[in-house]
Amino acid sequence: MRTNLKKIVGIDVSKLTIDVYDGRNYYHFTNNYVGFKQLLKQTKGHYVMEATGSYHVQLASYIFDKGYDISVVNPLSVKRFSQMKFIRAKTDKQDAAMIYEYAQINNLQLWEAPKDYIVKIKQIFTATDLMLKHRSSYNNQMEAFAQMKVVEQQVVASIQEQLATLNTSIKMLEDKAKQLVLENAKELYQKLTTIPSIGSKTAMMLIAITNEFKNFSNSKQLSSYVGICPRIYQSGTSVNGKGRICKMGMGQMRKTLFMASLSASRYNAACQQMFDRLVEKGKPKKVALVAVMNKLIKQAFAIGTKLENYNEEKFNL
């Protein structure tokens, strides 16, 4: 059932164009400042768009800076909504209308433009993640060469040179990320790092992906965004599949949290108790570590929103 209590403007964003539907009319604009001005001139309401990589960022920031309500929704949610309605056609115009309908019947969270330093930190971690993958590939190749009888030394020297450059660049960028955090969110960073097993990198990534914990209402939303919420696969007596985490989130953050969970299962009292209890019940260690990851998210969310130091007695309760 659709309600028209909200004046919604649905926007489908692509690399070069934006298609718009406001419940009555369709519009088509260029994805640049000329198109943005025309959009705000010809439409008014609560603007809603999908998160589309980097294509939506300029438009969302422009609308936000002009003082209008803007929401950026998960494209997977809109896709599932479209499937539920048995919509088979997929055009930019149809997508704008579907975003409009989705927004009419769902609670929308207002989008807030991230600060410049957060955008920079995200760029740094995207770059370093790519560099780490390259470094891993080079290291694997060097290990393979070590097993060979004949090796071209010029190839080895070239790879070693690349590894040295990567190591220098990764260190430089990680230092820059920490500098940006200390200049802009020092107190929040220091509070987060009081949590046992939450190190510098984990704290910085949490600050960046949560926009200083302003983009999520509770820790469960954050867990879903990261992609560590358990998904149960059961129905009646015939379907009893294995429960798995829903990996529909940030793989980079998951990797970092998983490494933190290995330490937390030993040195974070609340996490250690949970890990030991689950293992004693016969749960696989990986399952127990996912539970620890969720526990760390809850601790980080509590500390990040309340800006208080970690208290072991309080969190054990």
Side-chain angles (χ1 to χ4, degrees):
M1 178 178 177
R2 190 171 73 191
T3 173
N4 291 312
L5 294 176
K6 298 176 280 188
K7 174 60 177 174
I8 296 295
V9 180
I11 305 174
D12 179 70
V13 185
S14 62
K15 184 178 181 179
L16 300 177
T17 61
I18 51 178
D19 287 86
V20 181
Y21 180 65
D22 65 0
R24 289 187 175 183
N25 302 307
Y26 287 98
Y27 306 87
H28 184 78
F29 307 107
T30 54
N31 191 1
N32 55 34
Y33 288 113
V34 174
F36 301 167
K37 290 178 182 177
Q38 292 174 340
L39 168 67
L40 295 187
K41 185 177 180 180
Q42 297 184 40
T43 64
K44 288 291 182 290
H46 184 151
Y47 297 92
V48 184
M49 65 188 70
E50 294 176 323
T52 54
S54 58
Y55 296 147
H56 74 283
V57 175
Q58 271 195 329
L59 175 57
S61 298
Y62 183 87
I63 294 172
F64 178 83
D65 290 340
K66 294 297 181 183
Y68 295 98
D69 287 344
I70 171 74
S71 293
V72 179
V73 298
N74 189 327
L76 183 65
S77 299
V78 179
K79 181 180 179 180
R80 294 289 182 260
F81 178 76
S82 176
Q83 290 172 339
M84 181 186 71
K85 293 177 70 66
F86 298 102
I87 303 297
R88 295 187 178 184
K90 177 161 176 61
T91 64
D92 293 337
K93 184 185 286 190
Q94 179 65 51
D95 288 345
M98 192 53 54
I99 293 169
Y100 169 85
E101 291 195 35
Y102 171 86
Q104 285 286 346
I105 61 173
N106 285 277
N107 292 324
L108 301 173
Q109 186 169 342
L110 291 177
W111 184 82
E112 183 175 335
K115 297 176 181 177
D116 289 348
Y117 89 93
I118 286 180
V119 176
K120 291 178 180 179
I121 289 174
K122 286 183 175 180
Q123 292 170 350
I124 286 172
F125 281 120
T126 298
T128 54
D129 187 50
L130 184 61
M131 291 177 185
L132 287 167
K133 289 176 182 176
H134 285 314
R135 188 174 71 178
S136 179
S137 295
Y138 281 133
N139 283 326
N140 290 339
Q141 188 61 67
M142 291 295 285
E143 289 179 8
F145 285 161
Q147 307 302 318
M148 296 180 183
K149 185 177 180 180
V150 178
V151 179
E152 172 54 60
Q153 291 305 315
Q154 191 170 346
V155 173
V156 172
S158 178
I159 291 177
Q160 288 175 337
E161 184 180 344
Q162 293 296 322
L163 284 170
T165 301
L166 284 171
N167 288 331
T168 301
S169 297
I170 291 168
K171 177 69 165 59
M172 179 184 68
L173 288 174
E174 288 179 343
D175 288 345
K176 180 61 178 178
K178 188 170 183 179
Q179 178 190 336
L180 287 168
V181 169
L182 292 177
E183 288 174 353
N184 294 277
K186 185 175 181 179
E187 183 182 9
L188 177 56
Y189 171 81
Q190 290 176 334
K191 299 296 185 187
L192 287 173
T193 51
T194 63
I195 303 172
S197 303
I198 295 290
S200 178
K201 183 177 180 180
T202 308
M204 289 190 290
M205 290 185 73
L206 284 168
I207 291 171
I209 69 168
T210 62
N211 192 20
E212 297 180 352
F213 290 88
K214 295 174 184 174
N215 285 1
F216 300 93
S217 302
N218 52 61
S219 60
K220 189 174 181 180
Q221 288 181 355
L222 179 53
S223 291
S224 296
Y225 180 72
V226 173
I228 56 173
C229 279
R231 173 189 282 171
I232 299 172
Y233 188 62
Q234 292 179 339
S235 178
T237 58
S238 59
V239 179
N240 188 18
K242 258 189 174 182
R244 300 181 185 276
I245 60 172
C246 178
K247 295 183 180 179
M248 295 178 183
M250 299 189 63
Q252 190 180 8
M253 186 75 246
R254 273 199 307 276
K255 291 176 191 174
T256 305
L257 274 172
F258 183 77
M259 297 307 296
S261 72
L262 293 173
S263 172
S265 64
R266 298 177 61 191
Y267 302 112
N268 183 312
C271 292
Q272 182 184 23
Q273 290 172 10
M274 172 181 282
F275 179 82
D276 292 343
R277 184 172 67 251
L278 291 172
V279 171
E280 285 174 9
K281 287 183 176 180
K283 297 291 184 183
K285 287 188 176 181
K286 266 194 175 181
V287 172
L289 287 173
V290 170
V292 169
M293 290 164 70
N294 275 287
K295 186 70 171 177
L296 284 174
I297 286 283
K298 289 179 182 178
Q299 292 179 350
F301 192 86
I303 297 295
T305 51
K306 296 176 183 176
L307 279 182
E308 60 181 27
N309 287 326
Y310 177 84
N311 182 297
E312 184 176 296
E313 185 175 334
K314 178 179 179 180
F315 279 96
N316 273 337
L317 292 176

mmCIF file of all heavy atoms in Angstrom, residues 50 72-84 98-99 102-103 106 248:
data_model
loop_
_atom_site.group_PDB
_atom_site.id
_atom_site.type_symbol
_atom_site.label_atom_id
_atom_site.label_comp_id
_atom_site.label_asym_id
_atom_site.label_seq_id
_atom_site.Cartn_x
_atom_site.Cartn_y
_atom_site.Cartn_z
ATOM 1 N N GLU A 50 19.906 6.110 -4.824
ATOM 2 C CA GLU A 50 20.675 4.945 -4.400
ATOM 3 C C GLU A 50 22.148 5.326 -4.256
ATOM 4 O O GLU A 50 22.628 6.255 -4.902
ATOM 5 C CB GLU A 50 20.561 3.818 -5.418
ATOM 6 C CG GLU A 50 19.188 3.223 -5.567
ATOM 7 C CD GLU A 50 19.141 2.189 -6.667
ATOM 8 O OE1 GLU A 50 19.807 2.369 -7.704
ATOM 9 O OE2 GLU A 50 18.433 1.182 -6.492
ATOM 10 N N VAL A 72 20.153 8.690 1.008
ATOM 11 C CA VAL A 72 20.869 7.787 0.105
ATOM 12 C C VAL A 72 20.601 6.374 0.602
ATOM 13 O O VAL A 72 21.006 6.010 1.704
ATOM 14 C CB VAL A 72 22.380 8.093 0.083
ATOM 15 C CG1 VAL A 72 23.108 7.116 -0.836
ATOM 16 C CG2 VAL A 72 22.626 9.531 -0.368
ATOM 17 N N VAL A 73 19.903 5.574 -0.199
ATOM 18 C CA VAL A 73 19.448 4.259 0.252
ATOM 19 C C VAL A 73 20.297 3.148 -0.358
ATOM 20 O O VAL A 73 20.982 3.338 -1.368
ATOM 21 C CB VAL A 73 17.957 4.034 -0.094
ATOM 22 C CG1 VAL A 73 17.094 5.069 0.617
ATOM 23 C CG2 VAL A 73 17.724 4.095 -1.601
ATOM 24 N N ASN A 74 20.225 1.992 0.283
ATOM 25 C CA ASN A 74 20.963 0.815 -0.181
ATOM 26 C C ASN A 74 20.344 0.301 -1.478
ATOM 27 O O ASN A 74 19.152 -0.023 -1.522
ATOM 28 C CB ASN A 74 20.892 -0.270 0.897
ATOM 29 C CG ASN A 74 21.805 -1.448 0.607
ATOM 30 O OD1 ASN A 74 22.027 -1.800 -0.541
ATOM 31 N ND2 ASN A 74 22.321 -2.068 1.654
ATOM 32 N N PRO A 75 21.127 0.203 -2.563
ATOM 33 C CA PRO A 75 20.563 -0.266 -3.836
ATOM 34 C C PRO A 75 20.006 -1.679 -3.766
ATOM 35 O O PRO A 75 19.083 -2.033 -4.506
ATOM 36 C CB PRO A 75 21.752 -0.187 -4.803
ATOM 37 C CG PRO A 75 22.969 -0.144 -3.937
ATOM 38 C CD PRO A 75 22.545 0.544 -2.676
ATOM 39 N N LEU A 76 20.546 -2.516 -2.860
ATOM 40 C CA LEU A 76 20.033 -3.872 -2.721
ATOM 41 C C LEU A 76 18.603 -3.857 -2.208
ATOM 42 O O LEU A 76 17.765 -4.659 -2.627
ATOM 43 C CB LEU A 76 20.936 -4.679 -1.784
ATOM 44 C CG LEU A 76 20.547 -6.144 -1.602
ATOM 45 C CD1 LEU A 76 20.697 -6.904 -2.915
ATOM 46 C CD2 LEU A 76 21.404 -6.792 -0.519
ATOM 47 N N SER A 77 18.293 -2.923 -1.301
ATOM 48 C CA SER A 77 16.929 -2.825 -0.762
ATOM 49 C C SER A 77 15.941 -2.459 -1.864
ATOM 50 O O SER A 77 14.845 -3.019 -1.944
ATOM 51 C CB SER A 77 16.888 -1.776 0.354
ATOM 52 O OG SER A 77 17.736 -2.131 1.414
ATOM 53 N N VAL A 78 16.350 -1.529 -2.722
ATOM 54 C CA VAL A 78 15.476 -1.125 -3.828
ATOM 55 C C VAL A 78 15.314 -2.273 -4.822
ATOM 56 O O VAL A 78 14.225 -2.510 -5.355
ATOM 57 C CB VAL A 78 16.041 0.124 -4.534
ATOM 58 C CG1 VAL A 78 15.142 0.531 -5.697
ATOM 59 C CG2 VAL A 78 16.178 1.282 -3.554
ATOM 60 N N LYS A 79 16.390 -3.022 -5.051
ATOM 61 C CA LYS A 79 16.327 -4.163 -5.975
ATOM 62 C C LYS A 79 15.341 -5.207 -5.464
ATOM 63 O O LYS A 79 14.535 -5.748 -6.223
ATOM 64 C CB LYS A 79 17.719 -4.766 -6.129
ATOM 65 C CG LYS A 79 17.774 -5.947 -7.093
ATOM 66 C CD LYS A 79 19.189 -6.512 -7.210
ATOM 67 C CE LYS A 79 19.213 -7.708 -8.149
ATOM 68 N NZ LYS A 79 20.589 -8.282 -8.272
ATOM 69 N N ARG A 80 15.420 -5.530 -4.165
ATOM 70 C CA ARG A 80 14.507 -6.518 -3.584
ATOM 71 C C ARG A 80 13.063 -6.016 -3.647
ATOM 72 O O ARG A 80 12.133 -6.777 -3.887
ATOM 73 C CB ARG A 80 14.905 -6.807 -2.132
ATOM 74 C CG ARG A 80 16.265 -7.489 -1.996
ATOM 75 C CD ARG A 80 16.212 -8.927 -2.475
ATOM 76 N NE ARG A 80 17.484 -9.603 -2.300
ATOM 77 C CZ ARG A 80 18.375 -9.805 -3.254
ATOM 78 N NH1 ARG A 80 18.110 -9.385 -4.488
ATOM 79 N NH2 ARG A 80 19.513 -10.427 -2.998
ATOM 80 N N PHE A 81 12.881 -4.722 -3.442
ATOM 81 C CA PHE A 81 11.548 -4.122 -3.532
ATOM 82 C C PHE A 81 10.993 -4.267 -4.945
ATOM 83 O O PHE A 81 9.827 -4.614 -5.148
ATOM 84 C CB PHE A 81 11.634 -2.648 -3.126
ATOM 85 C CG PHE A 81 10.337 -1.901 -3.224
ATOM 86 C CD1 PHE A 81 9.349 -2.072 -2.277
ATOM 87 C CD2 PHE A 81 10.111 -1.009 -4.267
ATOM 88 C CE1 PHE A 81 8.145 -1.375 -2.359
ATOM 89 C CE2 PHE A 81 8.919 -0.315 -4.373
ATOM 90 C CZ PHE A 81 7.937 -0.496 -3.411
ATOM 91 N N SER A 82 11.852 -4.035 -5.933
ATOM 92 C CA SER A 82 11.456 -4.160 -7.331
ATOM 93 C C SER A 82 11.091 -5.603 -7.666
ATOM 94 O O SER A 82 10.096 -5.864 -8.360
ATOM 95 C CB SER A 82 12.602 -3.684 -8.238
ATOM 96 O OG SER A 82 12.301 -3.879 -9.590
ATOM 97 N N GLN A 83 11.879 -6.564 -7.159
ATOM 98 C CA GLN A 83 11.590 -7.981 -7.399
ATOM 99 C C GLN A 83 10.264 -8.390 -6.761
ATOM 100 O O GLN A 83 9.506 -9.182 -7.320
ATOM 101 C CB GLN A 83 12.729 -8.830 -6.858
ATOM 102 C CG GLN A 83 14.026 -8.697 -7.652
ATOM 103 C CD GLN A 83 15.196 -9.388 -6.982
ATOM 104 O OE1 GLN A 83 15.183 -9.636 -5.764
ATOM 105 N NE2 GLN A 83 16.230 -9.701 -7.755
ATOM 106 N N MET A 84 10.001 -7.834 -5.593
ATOM 107 C CA MET A 84 8.753 -8.133 -4.894
ATOM 108 C C MET A 84 7.539 -7.686 -5.705
ATOM 109 O O MET A 84 6.482 -8.312 -5.678
ATOM 110 C CB MET A 84 8.751 -7.450 -3.528
ATOM 111 C CG MET A 84 7.519 -7.694 -2.683
ATOM 112 S SD MET A 84 7.559 -6.713 -1.171
ATOM 113 C CE MET A 84 7.293 -5.064 -1.828
ATOM 114 N N MET A 98 10.881 3.526 -9.372
ATOM 115 C CA MET A 98 10.950 2.496 -8.339
ATOM 116 C C MET A 98 11.535 3.075 -7.039
ATOM 117 O O MET A 98 11.060 2.746 -5.944
ATOM 118 C CB MET A 98 11.806 1.333 -8.835
ATOM 119 C CG MET A 98 11.705 0.083 -7.971
ATOM 120 S SD MET A 98 10.004 -0.473 -7.698
ATOM 121 C CE MET A 98 9.406 -0.608 -9.389
ATOM 122 N N ILE A 99 12.534 3.925 -7.164
ATOM 123 C CA ILE A 99 13.098 4.588 -5.977
ATOM 124 C C ILE A 99 12.035 5.455 -5.319
ATOM 125 O O ILE A 99 11.906 5.490 -4.088
ATOM 126 C CB ILE A 99 14.336 5.420 -6.364
ATOM 127 C CG1 ILE A 99 15.482 4.501 -6.809
ATOM 128 C CG2 ILE A 99 14.794 6.292 -5.193
ATOM 129 C CD1 ILE A 99 16.654 5.220 -7.447
ATOM 130 N N TYR A 102 9.617 3.084 -3.522
ATOM 131 C CA TYR A 102 10.291 2.524 -2.348
ATOM 132 C C TYR A 102 10.310 3.544 -1.205
ATOM 133 O O TYR A 102 10.034 3.210 -0.047
ATOM 134 C CB TYR A 102 11.720 2.115 -2.722
ATOM 135 C CG TYR A 102 12.585 1.718 -1.544
ATOM 136 C CD1 TYR A 102 12.577 0.416 -1.057
ATOM 137 C CD2 TYR A 102 13.410 2.657 -0.917
ATOM 138 C CE1 TYR A 102 13.359 0.054 0.031
ATOM 139 C CE2 TYR A 102 14.194 2.305 0.166
ATOM 140 C CZ TYR A 102 14.170 1.010 0.641
ATOM 141 O OH TYR A 102 14.946 0.666 1.733
ATOM 142 N N ALA A 103 10.634 4.787 -1.536
ATOM 143 C CA ALA A 103 10.744 5.833 -0.516
ATOM 144 C C ALA A 103 9.405 6.183 0.105
ATOM 145 O O ALA A 103 9.341 6.595 1.270
ATOM 146 C CB ALA A 103 11.379 7.081 -1.127
ATOM 147 N N ASN A 106 8.805 3.435 3.010
ATOM 148 C CA ASN A 106 9.878 3.058 3.921
ATOM 149 C C ASN A 106 10.365 4.256 4.715
ATOM 150 O O ASN A 106 10.311 5.398 4.245
ATOM 151 C CB ASN A 106 11.062 2.461 3.141
ATOM 152 C CG ASN A 106 10.794 1.050 2.661
ATOM 153 O OD1 ASN A 106 10.955 0.087 3.404
ATOM 154 N ND2 ASN A 106 10.358 0.931 1.408
ATOM 155 N N MET A 248 27.195 -8.851 2.565
ATOM 156 C CA MET A 248 26.741 -7.797 1.664
ATOM 157 C C MET A 248 27.222 -6.454 2.196
ATOM 158 O O MET A 248 26.451 -5.531 2.391
ATOM 159 C CB MET A 248 25.216 -7.805 1.548
ATOM 160 C CG MET A 248 24.671 -9.052 0.916
ATOM 161 S SD MET A 248 22.896 -9.016 0.868
ATOM 162 C CE MET A 248 22.529 -10.619 0.172
#
